[in-house]
Amino acid sequence: MADDMFQSLADSIPSHLRNEVERELINGWRLNEVKATVKAKELASFGYRNAVNTIDGLGSLSARIPLDAYHYWGQRLGYECWDDKQFLNEYKRDNPEVAVSNYAKKTVVRGSVFTADGFIT
Amino acid sequence: MASLTERNIVSGKREALADLISLVDAKDTPLTSMAPKAAKPGNTLFRWQVDSLPNAVVNTTGVVDGTDVNVASDPVNFVKDGATQYRYELSNHIQEFRKPIRVSPLTIDIAVVAGVRDELANNISKGMTMLKRDMEKTFGSYNLPKADNGSSQGYVSRGLDSWIRSVKTTGGSVGNDNYLDVPTAFLTPTTSVVGNATATVESSTASSTLTEVTVQDMLTSIYQQTGQFRSYDAIVGPVLKRGFTNLLYTNRSSGGAETQAQIRTINRDAADSSYISSVDIFEGDFGQIRLHPSLWLKNTYCGYVIPMELLEIRYGGSVAGIKELTDNGGGPARLINAIASLCVKNPLAFGKFDYAS
């Protein structure tokens, strides 16, 4: 991605400004990388404490991707990469913080369905 | 063999700035970043075709063996059959976006600002970010297409909100949608648009009315149009995204005569932040749906369900770039500009949460 980006810069920006603008963008991405890591840890913490329900029709929440990470890979590989199940599974495997696994449990007692909180649904 | 073919020409490709615009500020401007970039529009007004088929029918009579086709009455015309037209043209105007910047000599030579090595580079970087945000806000808006009148009005591209309408506006805050309008047959179905907008009044529906049934109905409606299970990107305002989060992390009882209606069993602390800026990926019956938060929609409550391959941003490559303006003593100046337009290939496959509060 970096090569493409710098080539674009080279095409678009006056030569004497290239280094400075490159530096600006590189620092921005590095900063975003750190922020994405922090965000992923926040998401993991939130997911650990909160069970998630399935929204009928919409489906199950499968992952919550930090914005920086989502667009980084989208720009690098094309946003179609997120349609690819294998890519998504590998991404969740390599970044377990973003995977959602804490689903609300339901208990059935003689035909009545109870939520994790003990309420009848 | 090192042949010089078009694909080998890396330097000087016209899409260069379009690529860069796509990259800049990507997480905050999901629409412009994710929409496929297409070749430049052929003109200030560009067109594309939308097509449909007649409804399928149950054949109860069959074909009598040995009978000939009646060439006068049997053949069907799939373009225009009597009063029924199946193929239409959609069109839109291009729009130019400009962001001029100038840095004064004193700023360059005298002022020392912490963290900024070169003010001109810094301003170009910020100018590109602002240009991108202007584009995002414009393409997500309810702008109607307008032609350049040579004095007070330049070309304006139809915005996403105006593309996804089930009712043509005839007045009110949006204006009269009677120029390059979407043919009635290709307006987004009423069932794919959540809200109560009319031809003259914008929707006033509250986002607090979002329920699972609302989402199901919209997705079912989109499925009825496309007949496909596919991936959708939903670009939503932060309040609507929080509405989805509330659906996820709370339960509502159906409420019978012996129970309180709408009991909520909350399995998280009320004090927790219910809005987290992430792309939420859902795996469901209708395929994958990804929720993207955006601050650049017409309000913070609305949202758009987009099959991304049916959306394009067409860049006018030959005039996109960073131009050096003359410095007559006031300091070096640059003009960052881009010409682009939003192309919705078929509004029937889209959906909208048209919430106003």
Side-chain angles (χ1 to χ4, degrees):
Chain A
M1 188 192 80
D3 290 345
D4 297 344
M5 185 176 81
F6 294 146
Q7 190 59 56
S8 296
L9 283 168
D11 292 343
S12 311
I13 294 175
S15 56
H16 67 286
L17 288 174
R18 280 177 201 159
N19 288 340
E20 290 303 321
V21 178
E22 279 178 18
R23 198 185 309 275
E24 195 85 23
L25 288 170
I26 289 170
N27 289 340
W29 277 106
R30 285 276 174 261
L31 183 67
N32 290 342
E33 193 179 332
V34 174
K35 281 160 65 180
T37 309
V38 172
K39 181 63 70 182
K41 287 180 179 168
E42 284 176 13
L43 292 167
S45 169
F46 185 87
Y48 177 76
R49 286 179 288 121
N50 301 288
V52 64
N53 292 312
T54 293
I55 301 179
D56 285 344
L58 195 62
S60 302
L61 184 64
S62 119
R64 310 188 86 176
I65 315 285
L67 293 176
D68 290 301
Y70 186 89
H71 290 285
Y72 173 78
W73 286 105
Q75 294 288 340
R76 182 170 176 175
L77 302 177
Y79 284 98
E80 303 79 24
C81 71
W82 294 108
D83 293 334
D84 183 354
K85 280 196 171 181
Q86 187 183 346
F87 173 82
L88 187 58
N89 288 337
E90 287 175 6
Y91 185 82
K92 286 192 284 189
R93 182 199 65 201
D94 297 340
N95 304 279
E97 301 94 342
V98 307
V100 173
S101 55
N102 186 7
Y103 293 103
K105 286 85 181 171
K106 293 183 177 179
T107 309
V108 179
V109 180
R110 290 186 182 175
S112 299
V113 181
F114 292 84
T115 66
D117 308 85
F119 289 88
I120 297 175
T121 57
Chain B
M1 186 177 71
S3 62
L4 183 65
T5 56
E6 195 280 330
R7 64 189 171 85
N8 293 333
I9 301 173
V10 179
S11 177
K13 268 196 171 180
R14 285 174 169 181
E15 297 79 31
L17 190 71
D19 290 340
L20 200 56
I21 285 171
S22 177
L23 180 73
V24 168
D25 204 29
K27 69 169 184 173
D28 290 330
T29 52
L31 178 64
T32 321
S33 299
M34 293 191 300
K37 297 185 292 290
K40 68 172 183 174
N43 208 329
T44 55
L45 173 67
F46 64 101
R47 300 183 178 90
W48 61 100
Q49 288 184 346
V50 282
D51 210 345
S52 61
L53 285 170
N55 291 330
V57 294
V58 177
N59 188 332
T60 56
T61 55
V63 176
V64 177
D65 187 32
T67 54
D68 288 333
V69 169
N70 184 338
V71 291
S73 61
D74 285 352
V76 179
N77 178 349
F78 291 116
V79 178
K80 191 170 191 296
D81 195 9
T84 310
Q85 187 173 336
Y86 298 107
R87 187 185 298 159
Y88 288 88
E89 271 190 346
L90 299 182
S91 51
N92 203 0
H93 275 304
I94 54 96
Q95 184 161 351
E96 180 165 9
F97 298 87
R98 281 181 173 178
K99 199 57 68 178
I101 58 151
R102 183 185 289 280
V103 182
S104 74
L106 286 181
T107 309
I108 294 173
D109 298 334
I110 306 296
V112 178
V113 180
V116 178
R117 288 163 56 95
D118 186 319
E119 279 290 1
L120 188 55
N122 183 260
N123 272 266
I124 288 177
S125 176
K126 284 183 175 169
M128 287 173 61
T129 304
M130 282 307 302
L131 183 92
K132 176 84 176 288
R133 290 184 177 183
D134 286 353
M135 291 172 68
E136 181 84 0
K137 186 87 178 166
T138 305
F139 289 147
S141 73
Y142 50 63
N143 269 357
L144 296 175
K146 292 188 178 71
D148 191 327
N149 65 8
S151 58
S152 58
Q153 177 67 57
Y155 288 114
V156 171
S157 167
R158 181 185 287 272
L160 183 66
D161 189 80
S162 290
W163 276 117
I164 312 175
R165 275 184 184 274
S166 53
V167 183
K168 277 186 205 178
T169 56
T170 56
S173 58
V174 178
N176 194 349
D177 188 3
N178 60 357
Y179 176 59
L180 306 183
D181 50 329
V182 180
T184 306
F186 285 89
L187 287 173
T188 308
T190 312
T191 45
S192 298
V193 177
V194 179
N196 59 359
T198 66
T200 53
V201 180
E202 285 296 277
S203 174
S204 59
T205 308
S207 58
S208 58
T209 59
L210 177 75
T211 63
E212 291 189 1
V213 176
T214 315
V215 180
Q216 287 165 15
D217 288 350
M218 175 192 282
L219 293 175
T220 305
S221 174
I222 294 174
Y223 173 71
Q224 285 170 340
Q225 293 300 322
T226 62
Q228 291 177 336
F229 297 116
R230 66 208 302 177
S231 295
Y232 291 96
D233 288 283
I235 297 179
V236 296
V239 176
L240 182 57
K241 181 133 190 294
R242 198 166 62 195
F244 279 99
T245 306
N246 287 339
L247 287 180
L248 278 172
Y249 288 102
T250 62
N251 277 330
R252 289 183 177 191
S253 78
S254 54
E258 73 288 356
T259 61
Q260 284 252 298
Q262 300 289 313
I263 291 177
R264 281 189 156 195
T265 61
I266 299 173
N267 53 13
R268 63 187 168 85
D269 296 335
D272 274 341
S273 164
S274 57
Y275 175 70
I276 297 180
S277 57
S278 60
V279 177
D280 292 357
I281 299 181
F282 291 84
E283 304 274 358
D285 295 342
F286 290 92
Q288 196 186 73
I289 295 176
R290 298 177 285 255
L291 293 187
H292 303 264
S294 173
L295 289 169
W296 310 110
L297 303 177
K298 69 173 181 179
N299 61 40
T300 57
Y301 313 100
C302 66
Y304 306 90
V305 179
I306 302 169
M308 207 46 91
E309 72 275 17
L310 292 183
L311 191 75
E312 276 180 357
I313 293 183
R314 297 190 176 180
Y315 287 93
S318 59
V319 284
I322 299 173
K323 292 174 186 166
E324 190 167 349
L325 303 179
T326 54
D327 179 359
N328 294 330
R334 300 286 184 274
L335 172 66
I336 307 162
N337 79 330
I339 294 180
S341 184
L342 187 69
C343 172
V344 170
K345 293 181 184 171
N346 191 337
L348 292 176
F350 288 67
K352 177 161 78 168
F353 294 98
D354 199 1
Y355 292 128
S357 63

